[in-house]
Amino acid sequence: MKRRGGKGTGTVFYDRRRGRWVAQLTVGHDPATGLPRKITRVFPTRKEAEAWRVEQAARLHKGLLGSPEAITVREWASRWLEGKAQEVRPRTLALYLQDLGHAIPSLKDPKTPDPFGSLRLQAVQPSHIRGVLEGLKGRYSLRTVRAVRQRLHQVFEEALALEVIARNPVDPVKVRAPKGEGQGKAARALEPHEVSAFLKALDHHKDPRTALALRLCLACGLRRGEVLGLKWEDLDLEAGTLTVRRAWTENGKELLLTAPKTAKGGRTVPIPHQTLQRVKAYREMWLRQGFSPEELQDRWVFPSLEADGSRPIHPHSLNKALERIRKALGLPHFRLHDLRHTYGSFLLANGAPVELVSERMGHANPNITLAVYRHLLEEERRGWVLDPEDVAGPRGEA
């Protein structure tokens, strides 16, 4: 049984062997052989097959349906990365390439055998995505596999938005932790006693540069690159503020200065009183070394001594200093970024509005702040219990 539409509208027929309805549409011809190129989908019912045929035929006539052979997964991912190069920092782009390279190895080395990367973009099914991710689970952490899944979703989502594909094959594929397995290294806020011990250790740390940089990450919620990108001209010690204007980062190959991570990353943040006193003492230390106040203005707050102060210290120096201090104190594991997370958590726990916390931390919008600190906000909401009898007052009271 076969039902044909008009020219260019495809056909629908029943496949007795499979017991399914097949919809088919010719979308062009092979330039080498002249044979027609077709897209085919199988459905359980005739109604579904007809609906798909009509939809695809309409898209074909509008010029929205590309040829299935037009582009491979690797080629599309490469184009996506080229576009992202104009939008994100080099460090972020390198992370994108790293994530996608796990699933599409030919992105890094075109000579690498890559069955998935060689697939036609429009031929990719959820089963292909599932196969790739399952193959990564034995070699990489759950966190890495989830990052790969997220990056693939972005790549295919752009193809969907541009109407190159009919659906995102990554959507139905989830990456779940095996039963009993943890969720990886989640961000955590330090407990008050941990903060106290950490701050005392910073006051006795042998390198005043890394000590103060770590303190500012905790006291002002700065990212690692933001604190290292500070110049003395960015600090207003009279007003007690600092302004984030740049970031000192590394992309795996080189160190470089970049703009703040988000459009709202460039911001002015108040420096808490006791931290401000330590900043002033730190500045006096440099002035005693022979720098005039005017000379100091254009210098890095945390200069690399190996480079004669011409650039900030290496970003890894902060991570190494943090780990040495943590181990010496015997504290549970935490990351440098957790200092920033602690700052945001403490602000919210002390009643700061989400909008203010978002602004202080340089988040692109308050929704990001809500997502990051949702657990904290939910705990806070549970504490807000209003008994009508408390409002009405004692019984019988006028």
Side-chain angles (χ1 to χ4, degrees):
M1 183 189 301
K2 180 176 286 192
R3 175 173 177 175
R4 293 182 179 276
K7 185 177 180 181
T9 59
T11 59
V12 170
F13 60 92
Y14 185 69
D15 186 332
R16 294 183 182 278
R17 183 175 58 83
R18 289 187 285 184
R20 308 274 283 182
W21 287 89
V22 180
Q24 209 169 62
L25 182 68
T26 299
V27 295
H29 291 78
D30 190 308
T33 65
L35 295 175
R37 289 174 169 170
K38 297 181 179 181
I39 55 174
T40 303
R41 284 284 298 277
V42 179
F43 298 90
T45 67
R46 178 174 178 174
K47 184 177 180 181
E48 290 175 281
E50 286 283 8
W52 182 85
R53 177 189 67 79
V54 172
E55 178 188 357
Q56 299 306 310
R59 295 179 66 212
L60 176 65
H61 288 299
K62 292 178 182 177
L64 300 177
L65 192 63
S67 169
E69 289 77 21
I71 190 169
T72 65
V73 172
R74 185 193 66 78
E75 290 168 340
W76 184 262
S78 181
R79 289 187 193 179
W80 184 84
L81 286 169
E82 289 173 7
K84 287 297 176 183
Q86 312 301 317
E87 302 173 10
V88 301
R89 297 187 300 174
R91 168 70 174 166
T92 303
L93 186 67
L95 291 175
Y96 286 174
L97 175 59
Q98 177 178 295
D99 291 341
L100 288 173
H102 293 320
I104 314 169
S106 58
L107 276 174
K108 294 183 176 180
D109 181 3
K111 296 180 182 179
T112 304
D114 188 358
F116 177 64
S118 301
L119 279 175
R120 291 178 286 108
L121 187 71
Q122 293 175 322
V124 177
Q125 298 294 316
S127 59
H128 295 124
I129 303 296
R130 169 62 67 195
V132 168
L133 297 179
E134 288 295 331
L136 296 178
K137 281 185 178 180
R139 293 182 288 150
Y140 300 100
S141 68
L142 184 66
R143 184 176 183 179
T144 296
V145 177
R146 282 177 170 158
V148 172
R149 190 259 177 202
Q150 179 185 358
R151 214 63 61 212
L152 287 172
H153 189 275
Q154 289 177 291
V155 169
F156 281 94
E157 193 65 17
E158 181 164 293
L160 178 64
L162 295 176
E163 299 186 322
V164 177
I165 57 177
R167 65 169 180 165
N168 188 331
V170 186
D171 266 337
V173 183
K174 309 301 178 187
V175 179
R176 295 185 175 86
K179 190 174 182 180
E181 184 174 318
Q183 299 301 309
K185 297 179 180 178
R188 83 171 183 95
L190 276 66
E191 298 294 332
H193 73 275
E194 293 177 317
V195 171
S196 177
F198 183 67
L199 291 175
K200 287 179 182 177
L202 290 180
D203 282 336
H204 296 93
H205 189 58
K206 62 181 180 180
D207 187 344
R209 297 171 304 160
T210 53
L212 183 61
L214 290 170
R215 184 181 288 272
L216 286 175
C217 288
L218 177 60
C220 300
L222 301 186
R223 299 177 176 93
R224 181 182 67 174
E226 293 173 344
V227 73
L228 295 181
L230 290 172
K231 288 189 172 185
W232 283 106
E233 65 185 8
D234 302 322
L235 276 65
D236 186 338
L237 302 188
E238 291 296 320
T241 62
L242 63 82
T243 300
V244 175
R245 293 191 172 94
R246 66 194 77 79
W248 178 242
T249 62
E250 52 91 23
N251 62 5
K253 297 180 180 179
E254 59 181 341
L255 297 169
L256 64 163
L257 282 173
T258 66
K261 185 174 182 179
T262 68
K264 293 187 178 180
R267 62 200 187 279
T268 297
V269 182
I271 307 173
H273 177 72
Q274 293 194 51
T275 299
L276 180 61
Q277 300 312 307
R278 287 170 173 80
V279 173
K280 290 179 177 179
Y282 177 77
R283 182 173 181 273
E284 287 299 320
M285 178 193 77
W286 288 107
L287 291 175
R288 287 196 299 271
Q289 294 187 23
F291 293 102
S292 69
E294 292 73 26
E295 290 173 327
L296 206 59
Q297 279 297 92
D298 193 44
R299 292 181 65 85
W300 301 106
V301 176
F302 305 109
S304 168
L305 302 183
E306 292 79 7
D308 196 28
S310 62
R311 65 170 185 257
I313 60 178
H314 197 289
H316 290 174
S317 298
L318 288 191
N319 298 75
K320 292 176 181 178
L322 175 74
E323 188 61 10
R324 283 195 296 269
I325 294 171
R326 184 195 68 77
K327 286 183 176 179
L329 294 173
L331 296 177
H333 176 79
F334 64 90
R335 307 164 303 162
L336 196 155
H337 199 75
D338 291 334
L339 299 179
R340 170 175 159 84
H341 187 70
T342 300
Y343 171 81
S345 297
F346 279 18
L347 277 179
L348 288 169
N350 283 277
V354 171
E355 292 77 12
L356 181 140
V357 178
S358 178
E359 177 185 306
R360 293 276 180 87
M361 300 192 74
H363 285 158
N365 59 68
N367 288 333
I368 294 175
T369 313
L370 285 168
V372 173
Y373 297 101
R374 188 176 304 280
H375 65 289
L376 182 67
L377 293 169
E378 286 174 352
E379 291 174 10
E380 184 179 315
R381 289 190 190 101
R382 283 197 292 270
W384 284 92
V385 180
L386 180 66
D387 192 326
E389 293 194 17
D390 292 337
V391 177
R395 291 183 180 178
E397 182 174 313

